[in-house]
Amino acid sequence: MKARLGPLPYIYPIPITLVGANVEGRPNFETIGDTGLAGIDPPLVFVSSHRDHYTNLGILASGTFSINFPTTAMLARVDFCGTVSGRDADKSALFEVFYGDTGTAPMIAECPVNLECRLLQQFCIRHRQVFIGEVLQCFAGEEFVHMDGGRPRFVDLPTLDPILYALDNQYYRVGARIGTGYQEAEKWKGDAT
Amino acid sequence: MKARLGPLPYIYPIPITLVGANVEGRPNFETIGDTGLAGIDPPLVFVSSHRDHYTNLGILASGTFSINFPTTAMLARVDFCGTVSGRDADKSALFEVFYGDTGTAPMIAECPVNLECRLLQQFCIRHRQVFIGEVLQCFAGEEFVHMDGGRPRFVDLPTLDPILYALDNQYYRVGARIGTGYQEAEKWKGDAT
């Protein structure tokens, strides 16, 4: 028997990211779980932010932004970034910042992976501002990736050590590897015969 | 020093979901990691699917769809659903299906949580079809939630036991709880003084 809980968008798990943009001349970072993959080829990402959020101003003005993936060791700073607005606090010194070719999307050196993005499309749904971005460049710490036949091969998720979140308002780490894409299906086909 | 890996949308972790719609009179489910939260109030979700995918036809025709969160115990079936199209295989018998008030968004009984959604907006970016949905109803197995002062309180993520994915093509489970939202920030403010 299922309980009906009303119109609750209980998506889980949520990847915790720091979305970066320069606003009024300085780097600002917003903690966001409302983000995700929107396509691999073309390389698309999706970010949804409250319409009043300070970071939005920088994304709209520059047409660029970054998505940065913090580690669990950065949890206190990441949570802090989600509790104060750039309008009220200068967050530019919280992290070591670097730039890519656009020169306008601030990225966080301490994060293992950073995506430098170009704003492709944006629209509002009620008080939400939705951004669709195209990834121009993926940056990764050299200890987290090696090239294998011309293609990047990343270390496993537990080593990248991202922060997960759920709408129970709790943070989690990643657990053990349990399988490989497009190979587990074989086990099901076996069951079905 | 950061390596430049090109335009790779290395978002992680990715939540693995089964997106459901009735197509040509029968339930179909598509394994999708290209989904996420787009807002809590209003309750918005986001799904991106290749323009040719079979499930899209049902979403567009009915204006409804579901997002279902499988457990790691369902991994082989979930992976299977991502390897075959509903055009070539009848996936309606893979799961026990139930419906909510719309009557057109098939949901999976074995999944701890199901979101019944109404299509709010859709557009294409190159060969991607993006759907923004509003959650009409969240269903949860009664063993996974209890009411606390009129609000639902879910069990923790490891008990919901969702499947994570990353673009290393590996599946993972969720690990341990590491903190509470809007409380970890206090530790940082402590460091900063």
Side-chain angles (χ1 to χ4, degrees):
Chain A
M1 185 61 190
K2 296 261 180 174
R4 288 171 175 246
L5 305 176
L8 186 69
Y10 209 82
I11 294 267
Y12 63 88
I14 294 168
I16 288 292
T17 67
L18 291 159
V19 171
N22 281 350
V23 191
E24 296 174 352
R26 70 179 186 224
N28 192 66
F29 297 98
E30 175 180 21
T31 302
I32 286 198
D34 312 41
T35 186
L37 181 67
I40 294 178
D41 179 21
L44 302 176
V45 295
F46 157 84
V47 171
S48 171
S49 179
H50 192 286
R51 203 164 56 184
D52 296 338
H53 278 185
Y54 190 64
T55 308
N56 300 0
L57 300 174
I59 297 175
L60 293 168
S62 72
T64 65
F65 62 95
S66 72
I67 304 181
N68 305 270
F69 297 86
T71 65
T72 65
M74 297 168 68
L75 180 60
R77 258 186 300 172
V78 169
D79 194 52
F80 174 72
C81 265
T83 60
V84 294
S85 168
R87 282 192 185 85
D88 307 317
D90 180 358
K91 301 193 226 177
S92 66
L94 278 176
F95 307 103
E96 185 187 336
V97 172
F98 73 99
Y99 290 89
D101 289 343
T102 66
T104 53
M107 289 176 281
I108 299 175
E110 296 100 309
C111 290
V113 178
N114 320 88
L115 305 179
E116 183 181 20
C117 303
R118 177 171 75 88
L119 180 60
L120 216 57
Q121 198 159 327
Q122 64 87 19
F123 54 91
C124 284
I125 295 186
R126 300 181 205 161
H127 55 256
R128 277 280 167 165
Q129 181 124 34
V130 176
F131 301 106
I132 307 281
E134 178 174 11
V135 177
L136 299 174
Q137 190 63 258
C138 172
F139 293 85
E142 288 183 340
E143 64 274 37
F144 298 109
V145 68
H146 68 273
M147 298 306 286
D148 180 7
R151 297 180 60 170
R153 189 176 295 269
F154 279 84
V155 296
D156 64 6
L157 268 193
T159 305
L160 289 172
D161 196 21
I163 301 169
L164 312 182
Y165 185 70
L167 293 182
D168 62 358
N169 194 34
Q170 301 299 314
Y171 294 114
Y172 298 88
R173 64 172 76 247
V174 170
R177 196 180 74 80
I178 56 171
T180 300
Y182 310 102
Q183 292 189 16
E184 302 309 310
E186 292 300 321
K187 296 174 190 166
W188 174 252
K189 281 184 260 187
D191 290 350
T193 53
Chain B
M1 186 60 189
K2 296 262 180 173
R4 288 171 176 247
L5 305 177
L8 187 68
Y10 208 83
I11 294 266
Y12 64 88
I14 294 169
I16 288 289
T17 68
L18 292 160
V19 171
N22 281 350
V23 191
E24 296 174 353
R26 69 179 188 223
N28 192 65
F29 297 98
E30 175 180 19
T31 301
I32 285 198
D34 311 42
T35 185
L37 181 66
I40 294 178
D41 179 21
L44 303 176
V45 295
F46 152 84
V47 171
S48 171
S49 178
H50 192 285
R51 204 165 54 187
D52 296 337
H53 278 186
Y54 189 65
T55 308
N56 301 1
L57 300 175
I59 298 175
L60 293 168
S62 72
T64 64
F65 63 95
S66 72
I67 304 182
N68 305 271
F69 297 86
T71 65
T72 65
M74 297 167 67
L75 180 59
R77 260 185 299 172
V78 169
D79 193 53
F80 175 72
C81 266
T83 60
V84 294
S85 169
R87 281 192 184 84
D88 306 318
D90 180 358
K91 300 193 225 177
S92 66
L94 277 176
F95 306 102
E96 185 189 334
V97 172
F98 72 99
Y99 289 89
D101 288 342
T102 67
T104 52
M107 291 177 280
I108 298 175
E110 296 100 309
C111 290
V113 178
N114 320 88
L115 306 179
E116 183 181 19
C117 304
R118 176 171 76 90
L119 181 61
L120 216 58
Q121 199 160 328
Q122 64 87 19
F123 54 91
C124 283
I125 295 186
R126 299 181 206 161
H127 56 255
R128 277 279 167 167
Q129 181 127 33
V130 178
F131 301 106
I132 308 281
E134 178 175 10
V135 176
L136 298 175
Q137 189 64 256
C138 173
F139 293 85
E142 287 183 341
E143 64 274 37
F144 298 109
V145 68
H146 68 274
M147 298 307 285
D148 180 7
R151 297 181 61 171
R153 190 175 294 270
F154 279 83
V155 296
D156 64 5
L157 268 193
T159 305
L160 288 173
D161 196 22
I163 302 168
L164 313 181
Y165 184 70
L167 293 182
D168 64 358
N169 194 34
Q170 301 299 315
Y171 294 113
Y172 298 88
R173 64 173 74 248
V174 170
R177 196 182 74 80
I178 56 171
T180 301
Y182 309 104
Q183 292 188 16
E184 302 310 310
E186 292 301 320
K187 297 174 190 166
W188 174 252
K189 282 183 258 185
D191 290 351
T193 53

